[in-house]
Amino acid sequence: MRFHVLTLFPEAFGEPMQFSIVARAVQREQVTVEVADIRDYTHDAHGTADDYQFGGGHGMVMKPEPVFEAAEAALSGYTEAERNAIPVIFLTPQGELLTQKLVEELSAAPAITLICGHYAGADERIAEGLATRQVSIGDYVLTGGELPAMILIDAVTRLLPGVVGSPESVAGDSITTGLLQHPLYTRPAEYRGLAVPDVLLSGHHAEIERWRRRKSLERTLARRPDLLQTAPLTNEDLQYLYTLGYACPEPGRREHDAQV
Ligand code: 6GU
C-alpha cells in the first residue's frame, strides 16, 4: 500500500510514522508513506497556500491550485487505469465518518491519496474536482487533517496482509465483530486487590467463550447501544440482552435478522 499525503505540515508525519506496527510495515516495504509539501506547489515568493474567502467571513481558505498540482505530481507515476483505482481522500470535519467498514474498503486499494485540510477550510473545488471522498474521524473539530490522516494510515495498515501478527487478532477486534471487545487480563491473577475473574482461570473454554460474549454484550449495551442495531446477534445474545433490560427492535427492523 502506498500512501500519498499532501499537507502544509510535512514534518508532522516524521516521528509518528516511526514507531510500532506502522514503522515495521514501512521497514518491510509493506507500506510507503510519501509526504508532499503543498507549499512546494505554490507560485509566489511567499509560498501563499491560503487566501480570503469570497463573500467575506472570518478565516482563511486553502487555495485550490497548489493542492491540485501536488496531487497531480504525487500521482504522476501511475497509469490512468491505476490512478482511477486510487481514492483521493480529503480529510475534513464535513466528511463521512471513518468507520471500520470504510477502513476495510480502503485497505483493498493499491494506494491512497490523503489531502490534509487546514485553516477555516479549503476551496470547495478540491472536494468537487479532485477528491473522490471526504472523510472525518469524529464529531469534534481539530486544527487540521494531519492527525486524521495518520489515524487512517494506522487503521488501514494494520489490516494489510502480514502486518499484524495473527489474522485472528484483527478479526476479533472491537467493532470488526460488530460489538465492543470483552475485557482482557494477564498476570498477576490479583493486583492491588483487583482479581481476574475466576472463569478465566478455570480452563473451561466453553464457559470462557460464553463469559466473553456476555461481557461484550454488556459493554456494548452500556457504552454503544447503537452498535446493537447492526451487530450480528444470536437468539442467545438477544435473550441475554433482554435480561439486561435491552428492548430489542421489532423483527424485520434489524439489518442482521437473517442471521438471528
Ligand atoms: Cl478529518 N479534520 C479536522 N480539521 N477536524 C476533524 C476531522 C478532520 N475529523 C474530525 N475532526
Side-chain angles (χ1 to χ4, degrees):
M1 170 70 72
R2 295 176 68 181
F3 294 102
H4 298 279
V5 180
L6 316 184
T7 173
L8 288 163
F9 298 93
E11 61 282 2
F13 289 83
E15 300 266 323
M17 301 284 99
Q18 281 163 35
F19 70 91
S20 188
I21 288 172
V22 173
R24 205 179 59 198
V26 170
Q27 274 160 19
R28 292 177 176 173
E29 298 178 356
Q30 291 161 317
V31 153
T32 61
V33 182
E34 290 152 70
V35 183
D37 188 343
I38 292 170
R39 216 172 292 282
D40 289 344
Y41 298 88
T42 55
H43 292 290
D44 64 326
H46 305 290
T48 307
D50 61 328
D51 205 342
Y52 298 98
Q53 36 182 316
F54 279 123
H58 289 290
M60 302 297 277
V61 174
M62 278 172 77
K63 289 165 64 60
E65 313 96 303
V67 178
F68 273 75
E69 289 174 36
E72 278 156 15
L75 298 178
S76 62
Y78 295 96
T79 64
E80 197 187 332
E82 284 168 338
R83 275 202 295 276
N84 290 337
I86 299 175
V88 178
I89 297 178
F90 178 51
L91 293 147
T92 163
Q94 275 72 246
E96 67 180 300
L97 212 51
L98 183 66
T99 59
Q100 192 64 23
K101 184 162 169 268
L102 178 52
V103 171
E104 284 166 15
E105 184 185 330
L106 293 173
S107 69
I112 300 173
T113 304
L114 297 166
I115 303 171
C116 304
H118 244 277
Y119 307 118
D123 188 284
E124 187 64 17
R125 287 162 293 190
I126 294 168
E128 286 171 352
L130 179 60
T132 59
R133 9 191 15 144
Q134 301 177 63
V135 171
S136 161
I137 62 162
D139 292 336
Y140 39 81
V141 180
L142 303 169
T143 57
E146 283 74 18
L147 290 168
M150 289 184 237
I151 283 167
L152 189 152
I153 290 170
D154 187 291
V156 169
T157 297
R158 63 185 290 288
L159 291 188
L160 301 174
V163 168
V164 170
S166 68
E168 297 81 33
S169 64
V170 172
D173 291 338
S174 288
I175 308 297
T176 302
T177 63
L179 296 173
L180 301 186
Q181 194 184 46
H182 54 76
L184 304 171
Y185 293 90
T186 185
R187 283 180 288 186
E190 187 173 326
Y191 183 64
R192 300 199 181 198
L194 300 171
V196 174
D198 285 337
V199 59
L200 297 179
L201 310 175
S202 69
H204 289 118
H205 292 293
E207 284 287 305
I208 291 170
E209 279 318 303
R210 204 162 78 109
W211 180 87
R212 286 179 169 164
R213 185 73 184 175
R214 289 183 163 200
K215 286 293 163 190
S216 278
L217 292 165
E218 283 171 30
R219 197 170 253 198
T220 307
L221 178 61
R223 301 178 188 174
R224 293 292 307 279
D226 56 299
L227 296 178
L228 295 174
Q229 304 288 323
T230 49
L233 299 175
T234 64
N235 277 328
E236 196 182 330
D237 293 335
L238 288 167
Q239 276 163 19
Y240 184 62
L241 285 167
Y242 181 75
T243 70
L244 300 175
Y246 175 63
C248 174
E250 303 143 46
R253 301 222 25 213
R254 297 183 63 257
E255 244 174 58
H256 289 269
D257 271 350
Q259 294 170 42
V260 174

